[in-house]
């Protein structure tokens, strides 16, 4: 595996993290108390695969400077816009924990599906199959932790 660096991956990462910064500055006040120790192991596994996914995207892409004209970029944009719409819904509907888990246009767990879809498209765009695999595992654990917490 050749180590390279992808500024494209960093741009996608920063865009995905922007709403999370606001979330951490002003988190919901109605987080259920049942989210406790049972979630710690799942959370740890989730975070490990989150970090692995991003590190692979940043440092292992075969095509770190992929063309913006790629069809994968359309997928990235669609998932990113949908993700931002969800964050807008969260902030405009009172920033409650309940809003984070609401379906969107009949799609369950959209706050899990949309960013994972964006990251998978990014991994394909940068031709980084290890990141595709790690992101799919991250997405499955993320979905499981979301399912268990609700």
């Amino acid at each position: 595996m050749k180590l390279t660096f992808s500024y494209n991956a960093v741009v996608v990462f920063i865009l995905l993290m922007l709403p999370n910064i606001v979330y951490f500055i002003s988190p919901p006040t109605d987080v259920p108390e049942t989210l406790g120790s049972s979630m710690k192991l799942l959370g740890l596994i989730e975070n490990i695969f989150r970090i692995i996914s991003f590190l692979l995207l940043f440092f292992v892409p075969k095509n770190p400077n992929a063309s913006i004209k790629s069809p994968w970029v359309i997928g990235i944009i669609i998932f990113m816009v949908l993700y931002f719409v969800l964050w807008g819904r969260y902030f405009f509907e009172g920033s409650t924990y309940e809003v984070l888990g609401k379906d969107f246009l009949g799609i369950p767990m959209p706050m899990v599906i949309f960013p994972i879809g964006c990251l998978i498209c990014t991994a394909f765009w940068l031709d980084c199959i290890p990141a595709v695999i790690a992101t799919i595992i991250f997405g499955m654990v993320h979905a499981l932790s979301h399912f268990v917490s609700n």
Side-chain angles (χ1 to χ4, degrees):
M1 236 184 317
K2 181 182 171 194
L3 289 182
T4 57
F5 185 76
S6 175
Y7 291 101
N8 290 335
V10 172
V11 169
V12 171
F13 170 78
I14 289 170
L15 289 172
L16 279 175
M17 292 299 114
L18 285 175
N20 291 282
I21 293 168
V22 178
Y23 173 84
F24 285 110
I25 291 170
S26 179
T29 56
D30 64 337
V31 177
E33 290 184 28
T34 57
L35 296 179
S37 59
S38 64
M39 292 296 295
K40 286 185 182 178
L41 179 60
L42 262 180
L44 176 66
I45 295 168
E46 180 180 351
N47 285 326
I48 288 169
F49 277 97
R50 176 183 287 123
I51 291 166
I52 290 170
S53 296
F54 284 122
L55 289 175
L56 289 170
L57 281 173
F58 292 164
F59 298 110
V60 185
K62 287 183 183 174
N63 190 7
N65 300 311
S67 170
I68 198 140
K69 295 178 183 178
S70 167
W72 289 111
V73 174
I74 295 168
I76 293 167
I77 291 169
I78 290 168
F79 282 119
M80 186 81 67
V81 167
L82 290 169
Y83 186 58
F84 284 168
V85 167
L86 292 175
W87 277 109
R89 177 180 75 171
Y90 168 77
F91 293 121
F92 290 116
E93 289 187 19
S95 301
T96 63
Y97 186 79
E98 178 186 2
V99 172
L100 292 173
K102 282 174 57 175
D103 290 359
F104 181 73
L105 302 175
I107 299 169
M109 298 189 292
M111 288 295 268
V112 172
I113 292 170
F114 296 159
I116 295 299
C118 182
L119 291 173
I120 290 171
C121 287
T122 302
F124 276 117
W125 175 45
L126 300 176
D127 194 16
C128 189
I129 300 307
V132 171
I133 295 165
T135 303
I136 289 170
I137 295 169
F138 163 53
M140 290 172 16
V141 177
H142 190 48
L144 181 62
S145 69
H146 176 82
F147 182 75
V148 169
S149 69
N150 286 332

